Amino acid sequence: MNDLSFPNIWLSRKALDCFIQISTNKKNVKTKDCKSEGLYPVIDQGQQFICGYIDDESKVIKISSPLCVFGDHTRVIKWVTQDFVPGADGTKILEAEKFIFPKYGYYALRFIDIPDKGYSRHFKYLKELEIPISSLAEQKIIADKLDDLLARVESIKTRLENIPEILKKFRQSVLSAAVSGKLTEEWRNSDSFGENIFLGDLISSGPQNGLYKPSSFYGRGTKIIRIDSFYDGEIIDWEKIKKVELSKGELDKWALRKNDVLINRVNSREYLGKCALVKSMPSECVFESNIMRLSLIEEKVIPEYIILYLCSEKGVSELRKNAKLAVNQASINQDDVKNCIILLPNIDEQKEIIRRVNICFSYSDKVSENVFIALSKVNVIAQSIIAKAFRGELTAQWREENPELISGLNSAEALLERITAEKLASGTIKKRTKKTSH
C-alpha cells in the first residue's frame, strides 16, 4: 500500500468521500452495440480510451467539468473532458468534490494502491483507501507539475515503444541485403552473386503435410509444433508447446529431425508462409497439419541460409505468389513451395552471409532487450513521480515561497470545514447524492 506520509498541514479522506458518483442508469452501452464511427464516443473500463461510437444522444453524459472514469473490474482510470457515452457494467463515473481540484483527483486515484483482484470488483476499495488533501492552490500546482513531468515520461515511453517497429524494419533490411548479395559484395571476389534455382531442386525429402489430430487428443504425450511456436525463423518456448497422444506409426511418420524446415501452409495472408528451422529438440516432436516439413540437400545449401531467404521480403513474396485465397485465409501447396525461386550463392558465401546476419541480429536483440528493461523502468518512474507528488515532495519549495496560500482560510482544514458547513446548511451531508448529468 502507498505510504501516506505527507506534510502535517495536509489532511486525508477516504477516496470515495472525495468524489460524487454520477449515475449511468439507462445510459450504459455494451461494446457489441458500438460502431467504428459515430457522433458520440463510448468510454468504458477497457485499456483503449474509446471503445467505439453511437449516435443516440439520450445516452450521452454532458461534461460541465472534467470527470474520471473508474474501471470496477480493470482498475483502469481515465480523464474525460468531452461529452461521452458510458460503457457497460463496471464503468464508474466520478466527479471531484468541491475541495478537490479535478485533475488532482484524477492523479489521486492513480496514486492509491488498489489491490489487484483479477476480474472481480474493485470500486469497494475507494471506501477504504485514503487520499492526501492539500490546499486547493497546492492541488493545482501539483496537478500542473504532474501534467508536465508525466507528459515527458509518456514521450519517452512512446519513443521506446516505436523502437520494436524500427528494429523489425532493420532486420528486414539486413535480410534484403543478405539475399541480394549486397551484404557480402565487398567480401566476394567477383561481381556475380549466385544463381536462381527452384527450392524443389534443393530438397532431399518432402514437402510433407503435417499430422491432423482433433483437440480431444491434446494434453499429454509428444510435443506438437504449431504456427504459434514460430518466431523470426526459429521455434521458441519449447516448454509451452502442447502435447498430443500418438501411435508409434504416427510418431515415426511425422517425427521432426534436426535441420528440418517448417513452412506454414494455411493461414491469413499476413502469416502465410511463415517458416522456422528445427535447430535442436529437447524431446521428440511432430508437426501439425497446417505446416509442411521438408529436408534439404546440405551439400548444396545450408538450412540457415534457406530460412534467411524465406524470411526475407523476397522469399515471402516467392512463397505467396501462387497462394489460393479463401474468405478468411489463404493457402499454398507442396508445388508452390517447390517452385519457389531461390537466389543461391556458393556454400562459402552462404556461411559468410549467415555469420554477418547473426552479428546484425545479435545487435538488434540486445537493443530489444534494453528497450524492454527501459520500458519497465519508465512505468515505475511514472508511479514514483506520482507518489512523490502526494508526499508533498514536488511542491516543498512552493510551500516555502507561498505560506499564505496554504494556511488560514486557504488551508486544507479550513476548506473542508467550509464545504462541510455548506453541506450542513443544504442538508446534503447525511446522504451522498448520485446525480445524472444532463
Side-chain angles (χ1 to χ4, degrees), residues 114-159:
I114 301 171
D116 184 357
K117 299 297 182 180
Y119 201 70
S120 63
R121 301 282 182 174
H122 296 86
F123 190 67
K124 59 187 178 184
Y125 293 105
L126 300 190
K127 300 176 183 178
E128 305 169 8
L129 299 171
E130 295 193 340
I131 288 174
I133 300 173
S134 63
S135 69
L136 269 177
E138 188 169 2
Q139 288 181 35
K140 185 177 186 308
I141 295 297
I142 289 172
D144 289 345
K145 285 183 175 291
L146 286 175
D147 280 345
D148 177 53
L149 292 171
L150 294 180
R152 298 184 197 183
V153 172
E154 191 62 30
S155 176
I156 294 170
K157 184 179 178 181
T158 298
R159 292 180 185 182

CSV table of all heavy atoms in Angstrom, one decimal, residues 114-159:
chain,number,residue,atom,x,y,z
A,114,ILE,N,-4.7,0.3,-5.2
A,114,ILE,CA,-5.8,-0.6,-5.2
A,114,ILE,C,-5.4,-2.1,-5.5
A,114,ILE,O,-4.7,-2.3,-6.5
A,114,ILE,CB,-6.8,-0.2,-6.3
A,114,ILE,CG1,-7.3,1.2,-6.0
A,114,ILE,CG2,-8.0,-1.1,-6.3
A,114,ILE,CD1,-8.1,1.8,-7.1
A,115,PRO,N,-5.7,-3.0,-4.6
A,115,PRO,CA,-5.2,-4.4,-4.8
A,115,PRO,C,-5.8,-5.0,-6.1
A,115,PRO,O,-6.9,-4.6,-6.5
A,115,PRO,CB,-5.7,-5.1,-3.6
A,115,PRO,CG,-6.8,-4.3,-3.0
A,115,PRO,CD,-6.5,-2.9,-3.4
A,116,ASP,N,-5.0,-5.8,-6.8
A,116,ASP,CA,-5.5,-6.5,-8.0
A,116,ASP,C,-6.2,-7.8,-7.6
A,116,ASP,O,-5.6,-8.7,-7.2
A,116,ASP,CB,-4.3,-6.8,-8.9
A,116,ASP,CG,-4.7,-7.3,-10.3
A,116,ASP,OD1,-5.9,-7.5,-10.5
A,116,ASP,OD2,-3.8,-7.6,-11.1
A,117,LYS,N,-7.5,-7.8,-7.8
A,117,LYS,CA,-8.3,-8.9,-7.6
A,117,LYS,C,-8.9,-9.6,-8.8
A,117,LYS,O,-9.9,-10.1,-8.9
A,117,LYS,CB,-9.5,-8.6,-6.6
A,117,LYS,CG,-9.1,-8.0,-5.3
A,117,LYS,CD,-8.3,-9.1,-4.5
A,117,LYS,CE,-7.9,-8.5,-3.1
A,117,LYS,NZ,-7.1,-9.5,-2.3
A,118,GLY,N,-8.1,-9.5,-9.9
A,118,GLY,CA,-8.5,-10.1,-11.2
A,118,GLY,C,-9.7,-9.4,-11.7
A,118,GLY,O,-9.8,-8.1,-11.7
A,119,TYR,N,-10.7,-10.1,-12.2
A,119,TYR,CA,-11.9,-9.5,-12.8
A,119,TYR,C,-13.0,-9.3,-11.8
A,119,TYR,O,-14.2,-9.2,-12.2
A,119,TYR,CB,-12.3,-10.3,-14.0
A,119,TYR,CG,-13.2,-9.5,-15.0
A,119,TYR,CD1,-12.6,-8.5,-15.7
A,119,TYR,CD2,-14.6,-9.7,-15.1
A,119,TYR,CE1,-13.4,-7.8,-16.6
A,119,TYR,CE2,-15.3,-9.0,-15.9
A,119,TYR,CZ,-14.8,-8.0,-16.7
A,119,TYR,OH,-15.5,-7.2,-17.5
A,120,SER,N,-12.7,-9.4,-10.5
A,120,SER,CA,-13.7,-9.1,-9.5
A,120,SER,C,-13.9,-7.6,-9.4
A,120,SER,O,-13.3,-6.8,-10.1
A,120,SER,CB,-13.4,-9.7,-8.2
A,120,SER,OG,-12.2,-9.2,-7.7
A,121,ARG,N,-14.7,-7.2,-8.4
A,121,ARG,CA,-15.0,-5.7,-8.2
A,121,ARG,C,-13.9,-5.0,-7.4
A,121,ARG,O,-13.4,-5.6,-6.4
A,121,ARG,CB,-16.3,-5.6,-7.5
A,121,ARG,CG,-17.5,-6.2,-8.2
A,121,ARG,CD,-18.0,-5.3,-9.4
A,121,ARG,NE,-19.1,-5.9,-10.1
A,121,ARG,CZ,-19.8,-5.3,-11.0
A,121,ARG,NH1,-19.4,-4.1,-11.4
A,121,ARG,NH2,-20.8,-5.9,-11.6
A,122,HIS,N,-13.6,-3.8,-7.8
A,122,HIS,CA,-12.5,-3.0,-7.1
A,122,HIS,C,-13.0,-1.7,-6.5
A,122,HIS,O,-12.4,-1.0,-5.7
A,122,HIS,CB,-11.4,-2.8,-8.0
A,122,HIS,CG,-10.6,-4.0,-8.5
A,122,HIS,ND1,-11.1,-4.7,-9.5
A,122,HIS,CD2,-9.6,-4.6,-8.0
A,122,HIS,CE1,-10.2,-5.8,-9.7
A,122,HIS,NE2,-9.3,-5.7,-8.7
A,123,PHE,N,-14.2,-1.2,-7.0
A,123,PHE,CA,-14.7,0.1,-6.6
A,123,PHE,C,-14.9,0.1,-5.0
A,123,PHE,O,-14.7,1.2,-4.5
A,123,PHE,CB,-16.1,0.3,-7.2
A,123,PHE,CG,-16.6,1.7,-7.1
A,123,PHE,CD1,-16.0,2.8,-7.7
A,123,PHE,CD2,-17.8,2.0,-6.3
A,123,PHE,CE1,-16.5,4.1,-7.5
A,123,PHE,CE2,-18.2,3.2,-6.2
A,123,PHE,CZ,-17.6,4.3,-6.8
A,124,LYS,N,-15.1,-1.0,-4.4
A,124,LYS,CA,-15.3,-1.0,-2.9
A,124,LYS,C,-14.1,-0.5,-2.2
A,124,LYS,O,-14.2,0.0,-1.1
A,124,LYS,CB,-15.7,-2.4,-2.5
A,124,LYS,CG,-14.6,-3.4,-2.8
A,124,LYS,CD,-15.0,-4.9,-2.5
A,124,LYS,CE,-14.0,-5.9,-2.9
A,124,LYS,NZ,-14.4,-7.3,-2.6
A,125,TYR,N,-12.9,-0.6,-2.8
A,125,TYR,CA,-11.7,-0.2,-2.1
A,125,TYR,C,-11.6,1.3,-2.0
A,125,TYR,O,-10.8,1.8,-1.2
A,125,TYR,CB,-10.5,-0.7,-2.8
A,125,TYR,CG,-10.4,-2.3,-2.7
A,125,TYR,CD1,-10.7,-3.1,-3.8
A,125,TYR,CD2,-10.0,-2.9,-1.5
A,125,TYR,CE1,-10.6,-4.4,-3.7
A,125,TYR,CE2,-10.0,-4.3,-1.4
A,125,TYR,CZ,-10.3,-5.0,-2.5
A,125,TYR,OH,-10.2,-6.4,-2.4
A,126,LEU,N,-12.4,2.0,-2.8
A,126,LEU,CA,-12.4,3.5,-2.7
A,126,LEU,C,-13.0,3.9,-1.3
A,126,LEU,O,-12.9,5.1,-0.9
A,126,LEU,CB,-13.1,4.1,-3.8
A,126,LEU,CG,-12.5,3.9,-5.2
A,126,LEU,CD1,-13.2,4.8,-6.3
A,126,LEU,CD2,-11.0,4.1,-5.3
A,127,LYS,N,-13.8,3.0,-0.7
A,127,LYS,CA,-14.4,3.3,0.6
A,127,LYS,C,-13.4,3.1,1.7
A,127,LYS,O,-13.6,3.6,2.8
A,127,LYS,CB,-15.6,2.4,0.8
A,127,LYS,CG,-16.7,2.6,-0.2
A,127,LYS,CD,-17.8,1.5,0.1
A,127,LYS,CE,-18.9,1.6,-1.0
A,127,LYS,NZ,-20.0,0.6,-0.8
A,128,GLU,N,-12.3,2.5,1.4
A,128,GLU,CA,-11.3,2.1,2.5
A,128,GLU,C,-10.0,2.9,2.3
A,128,GLU,O,-9.4,3.3,3.4
A,128,GLU,CB,-11.0,0.6,2.4
A,128,GLU,CG,-12.2,-0.3,2.5
A,128,GLU,CD,-11.9,-1.7,2.1
A,128,GLU,OE1,-10.6,-2.0,2.0
A,128,GLU,OE2,-12.8,-2.5,2.0
A,129,LEU,N,-9.5,3.1,1.1
A,129,LEU,CA,-8.2,3.8,0.9
A,129,LEU,C,-8.3,5.3,1.0
A,129,LEU,O,-9.4,5.9,0.6
A,129,LEU,CB,-7.7,3.4,-0.5
A,129,LEU,CG,-7.4,1.8,-0.6
A,129,LEU,CD1,-7.1,1.5,-2.1
A,129,LEU,CD2,-6.3,1.4,0.3
A,130,GLU,N,-7.3,5.9,1.5
A,130,GLU,CA,-7.4,7.4,1.7
A,130,GLU,C,-6.5,8.2,0.7
A,130,GLU,O,-5.5,7.7,0.2
A,130,GLU,CB,-6.9,7.7,3.1
A,130,GLU,CG,-7.8,7.1,4.2
A,130,GLU,CD,-7.6,7.7,5.6
A,130,GLU,OE1,-6.5,8.3,5.8
A,130,GLU,OE2,-8.5,7.7,6.4
A,131,ILE,N,-6.9,9.4,0.5
A,131,ILE,CA,-6.2,10.3,-0.4
A,131,ILE,C,-5.7,11.5,0.4
A,131,ILE,O,-6.5,12.1,1.2
A,131,ILE,CB,-7.2,10.8,-1.5
A,131,ILE,CG1,-7.5,9.7,-2.5
A,131,ILE,CG2,-6.7,12.0,-2.2
A,131,ILE,CD1,-8.6,10.1,-3.5
A,132,PRO,N,-4.5,11.9,0.2
A,132,PRO,CA,-3.9,13.1,0.9
A,132,PRO,C,-4.6,14.4,0.3
A,132,PRO,O,-4.8,14.4,-0.9
A,132,PRO,CB,-2.4,13.1,0.6
A,132,PRO,CG,-2.2,11.7,0.1
A,132,PRO,CD,-3.4,11.2,-0.6
A,133,ILE,N,-4.9,15.3,1.1
A,133,ILE,CA,-5.6,16.5,0.6
A,133,ILE,C,-4.8,17.8,1.1
A,133,ILE,O,-4.6,18.0,2.3
A,133,ILE,CB,-7.0,16.6,1.2
A,133,ILE,CG1,-7.8,15.4,0.7
A,133,ILE,CG2,-7.7,17.9,0.7
A,133,ILE,CD1,-9.2,15.3,1.3
A,134,SER,N,-4.3,18.5,0.1
A,134,SER,CA,-3.6,19.8,0.4
A,134,SER,C,-4.6,20.9,0.1
A,134,SER,O,-5.8,20.7,-0.2
A,134,SER,CB,-2.4,19.9,-0.5
A,134,SER,OG,-2.8,19.9,-1.8
A,135,SER,N,-4.1,22.2,0.2
A,135,SER,CA,-5.0,23.3,-0.1
A,135,SER,C,-5.3,23.3,-1.6
A,135,SER,O,-4.5,22.6,-2.4
A,135,SER,CB,-4.2,24.6,0.2
A,135,SER,OG,-3.1,24.8,-0.7
A,136,LEU,N,-6.4,23.9,-2.0
A,136,LEU,CA,-6.7,23.9,-3.4
A,136,LEU,C,-5.6,24.5,-4.3
A,136,LEU,O,-5.4,24.0,-5.4
A,136,LEU,CB,-8.0,24.7,-3.6
A,136,LEU,CG,-9.3,23.9,-3.5
A,136,LEU,CD1,-10.5,24.9,-3.7
A,136,LEU,CD2,-9.4,22.8,-4.6
A,137,ALA,N,-5.0,25.6,-3.8
A,137,ALA,CA,-3.9,26.2,-4.6
A,137,ALA,C,-2.8,25.2,-4.8
A,137,ALA,O,-2.2,25.1,-5.9
A,137,ALA,CB,-3.4,27.4,-3.9
A,138,GLU,N,-2.4,24.5,-3.8
A,138,GLU,CA,-1.3,23.5,-3.9
A,138,GLU,C,-1.8,22.3,-4.8
A,138,GLU,O,-1.0,21.8,-5.5
A,138,GLU,CB,-0.8,23.0,-2.6
A,138,GLU,CG,0.4,22.1,-2.7
A,138,GLU,CD,1.1,21.9,-1.3
A,138,GLU,OE1,0.5,22.3,-0.3
A,138,GLU,OE2,2.1,21.2,-1.3
A,139,GLN,N,-3.0,21.9,-4.7
A,139,GLN,CA,-3.5,20.8,-5.5
A,139,GLN,C,-3.3,21.2,-7.0
A,139,GLN,O,-2.9,20.3,-7.8
A,139,GLN,CB,-5.0,20.6,-5.2
A,139,GLN,CG,-5.3,19.9,-3.9
A,139,GLN,CD,-6.8,19.7,-3.7
A,139,GLN,OE1,-7.5,19.4,-4.7
A,139,GLN,NE2,-7.3,19.8,-2.5
A,140,LYS,N,-3.6,22.4,-7.4
A,140,LYS,CA,-3.5,22.9,-8.8
A,140,LYS,C,-2.0,22.8,-9.2
A,140,LYS,O,-1.7,22.4,-10.3
A,140,LYS,CB,-4.1,24.2,-9.0
A,140,LYS,CG,-4.0,24.7,-10.4
A,140,LYS,CD,-4.7,26.0,-10.6
A,140,LYS,CE,-4.8,26.4,-12.1
A,140,LYS,NZ,-3.5,26.2,-12.9
A,141,ILE,N,-1.1,23.3,-8.3
A,141,ILE,CA,0.3,23.3,-8.6
A,141,ILE,C,0.8,21.8,-8.8
A,141,ILE,O,1.5,21.5,-9.8
A,141,ILE,CB,1.1,23.9,-7.5
A,141,ILE,CG1,0.8,25.4,-7.4
A,141,ILE,CG2,2.6,23.8,-7.7
A,141,ILE,CD1,1.1,26.2,-8.7
A,142,ILE,N,0.3,20.9,-7.9
A,142,ILE,CA,0.7,19.5,-8.0
A,142,ILE,C,0.2,18.9,-9.3
A,142,ILE,O,0.9,18.2,-10.0
A,142,ILE,CB,0.2,18.7,-6.8
A,142,ILE,CG1,0.9,19.1,-5.6
A,142,ILE,CG2,0.2,17.2,-7.1
A,142,ILE,CD1,0.3,18.5,-4.3
A,143,ALA,N,-1.1,19.2,-9.7
A,143,ALA,CA,-1.6,18.7,-10.9
A,143,ALA,C,-0.8,19.2,-12.1
A,143,ALA,O,-0.5,18.4,-13.1
A,143,ALA,CB,-3.1,19.1,-11.0
A,144,ASP,N,-0.5,20.5,-12.1
A,144,ASP,CA,0.3,21.1,-13.2
A,144,ASP,C,1.7,20.4,-13.4
A,144,ASP,O,2.1,20.1,-14.5
A,144,ASP,CB,0.4,22.6,-13.1
A,144,ASP,CG,-0.9,23.3,-13.3
A,144,ASP,OD1,-1.8,22.7,-13.8
A,144,ASP,OD2,-1.0,24.5,-12.9
A,145,LYS,N,2.3,20.2,-12.2
A,145,LYS,CA,3.6,19.6,-12.3
A,145,LYS,C,3.6,18.2,-12.8
A,145,LYS,O,4.4,17.7,-13.6
A,145,LYS,CB,4.3,19.6,-10.9
A,145,LYS,CG,4.8,21.0,-10.4
A,145,LYS,CD,5.5,20.9,-9.1
A,145,LYS,CE,6.1,22.3,-8.7
A,145,LYS,NZ,7.3,22.6,-9.6
A,146,LEU,N,2.5,17.5,-12.3
A,146,LEU,CA,2.4,16.1,-12.8
A,146,LEU,C,2.0,16.0,-14.3
A,146,LEU,O,2.5,15.2,-15.0
A,146,LEU,CB,1.3,15.4,-12.0
A,146,LEU,CG,1.7,14.9,-10.6
A,146,LEU,CD1,0.5,14.4,-9.8
A,146,LEU,CD2,2.8,13.9,-10.6
A,147,ASP,N,1.2,17.0,-14.8
A,147,ASP,CA,1.0,17.1,-16.2
A,147,ASP,C,2.3,17.2,-17.0
A,147,ASP,O,2.5,16.5,-18.0
A,147,ASP,CB,0.1,18.3,-16.5
A,147,ASP,CG,-1.4,18.0,-16.2
A,147,ASP,OD1,-1.8,16.8,-16.1
A,147,ASP,OD2,-2.2,19.0,-16.2
A,148,ASP,N,3.1,18.1,-16.5
A,148,ASP,CA,4.4,18.3,-17.2
A,148,ASP,C,5.3,17.1,-17.2
A,148,ASP,O,5.8,16.7,-18.2
A,148,ASP,CB,5.1,19.6,-16.6
A,148,ASP,CG,6.4,19.8,-17.3
A,148,ASP,OD1,6.5,19.9,-18.5
A,148,ASP,OD2,7.4,19.9,-16.5
A,149,LEU,N,5.5,16.6,-16.0
A,149,LEU,CA,6.5,15.5,-15.8
A,149,LEU,C,6.0,14.2,-16.5
A,149,LEU,O,6.8,13.5,-17.1
A,149,LEU,CB,6.8,15.3,-14.3
A,149,LEU,CG,7.5,16.4,-13.5
A,149,LEU,CD1,7.5,16.1,-12.0
A,149,LEU,CD2,8.9,16.5,-14.1
A,150,LEU,N,4.8,13.9,-16.3
A,150,LEU,CA,4.3,12.7,-16.9
A,150,LEU,C,4.1,12.8,-18.4
A,150,LEU,O,4.2,11.7,-19.1
A,150,LEU,CB,2.9,12.3,-16.3
A,150,LEU,CG,3.0,12.0,-14.8
A,150,LEU,CD1,1.6,11.6,-14.2
A,150,LEU,CD2,3.9,10.8,-14.5
A,151,ALA,N,4.0,14.0,-18.9
A,151,ALA,CA,4.0,14.1,-20.4
A,151,ALA,C,5.4,13.8,-20.9
A,151,ALA,O,5.5,13.2,-22.0
A,151,ALA,CB,3.6,15.6,-20.7
A,152,ARG,N,6.4,14.2,-20.2
A,152,ARG,CA,7.8,13.9,-20.6
A,152,ARG,C,8.0,12.4,-20.5
A,152,ARG,O,8.6,11.8,-21.4
A,152,ARG,CB,8.8,14.6,-19.7
A,152,ARG,CG,8.7,16.1,-19.8
A,152,ARG,CD,9.8,16.7,-18.9
A,152,ARG,NE,9.5,18.2,-18.6
A,152,ARG,CZ,10.4,18.9,-17.9
A,152,ARG,NH1,11.5,18.4,-17.5
A,152,ARG,NH2,10.1,20.2,-17.7
A,153,VAL,N,7.5,11.8,-19.5
A,153,VAL,CA,7.7,10.3,-19.3
A,153,VAL,C,6.9,9.6,-20.5
A,153,VAL,O,7.4,8.7,-21.1
A,153,VAL,CB,7.1,9.9,-18.0
A,153,VAL,CG1,7.1,8.3,-17.9
A,153,VAL,CG2,8.0,10.4,-16.8
A,154,GLU,N,5.7,10.1,-20.8
A,154,GLU,CA,4.9,9.5,-21.8
A,154,GLU,C,5.6,9.6,-23.2
A,154,GLU,O,5.6,8.7,-24.0
A,154,GLU,CB,3.5,10.1,-21.9
A,154,GLU,CG,2.5,9.4,-22.8
A,154,GLU,CD,2.3,7.9,-22.3
A,154,GLU,OE1,2.3,7.6,-21.1
A,154,GLU,OE2,2.0,7.1,-23.2
A,155,SER,N,6.3,10.8,-23.4
A,155,SER,CA,7.0,11.0,-24.6
A,155,SER,C,8.2,10.0,-24.8
A,155,SER,O,8.4,9.4,-25.8
A,155,SER,CB,7.6,12.4,-24.7
A,155,SER,OG,8.4,12.6,-25.8
A,156,ILE,N,8.9,9.8,-23.7
A,156,ILE,CA,9.9,8.8,-23.7
A,156,ILE,C,9.4,7.4,-23.9
A,156,ILE,O,9.9,6.6,-24.7
A,156,ILE,CB,10.7,8.8,-22.3
A,156,ILE,CG1,11.4,10.2,-22.2
A,156,ILE,CG2,11.7,7.7,-22.2
A,156,ILE,CD1,12.0,10.4,-20.8
A,157,LYS,N,8.3,7.1,-23.3
A,157,LYS,CA,7.7,5.8,-23.4
A,157,LYS,C,7.2,5.5,-24.9
A,157,LYS,O,7.4,4.4,-25.4
A,157,LYS,CB,6.5,5.6,-22.5
A,157,LYS,CG,5.8,4.3,-22.5
A,157,LYS,CD,4.6,4.2,-21.6
A,157,LYS,CE,3.9,2.9,-21.6
A,157,LYS,NZ,2.7,2.8,-20.7
A,158,THR,N,6.7,6.6,-25.5
A,158,THR,CA,6.2,6.4,-26.9
A,158,THR,C,7.4,6.2,-27.8
A,158,THR,O,7.3,5.3,-28.7
A,158,THR,CB,5.5,7.7,-27.3
A,158,THR,OG1,4.3,7.9,-26.5
A,158,THR,CG2,5.1,7.6,-28.8
A,159,ARG,N,8.5,6.9,-27.6
A,159,ARG,CA,9.7,6.6,-28.4
A,159,ARG,C,10.2,5.2,-28.2
A,159,ARG,O,10.6,4.6,-29.2
A,159,ARG,CB,10.8,7.7,-28.0
A,159,ARG,CG,10.4,9.1,-28.4
A,159,ARG,CD,11.5,10.0,-28.0
A,159,ARG,NE,11.2,11.4,-28.3
A,159,ARG,CZ,12.0,12.5,-28.0
A,159,ARG,NH1,13.2,12.3,-27.6
A,159,ARG,NH2,11.6,13.7,-28.3
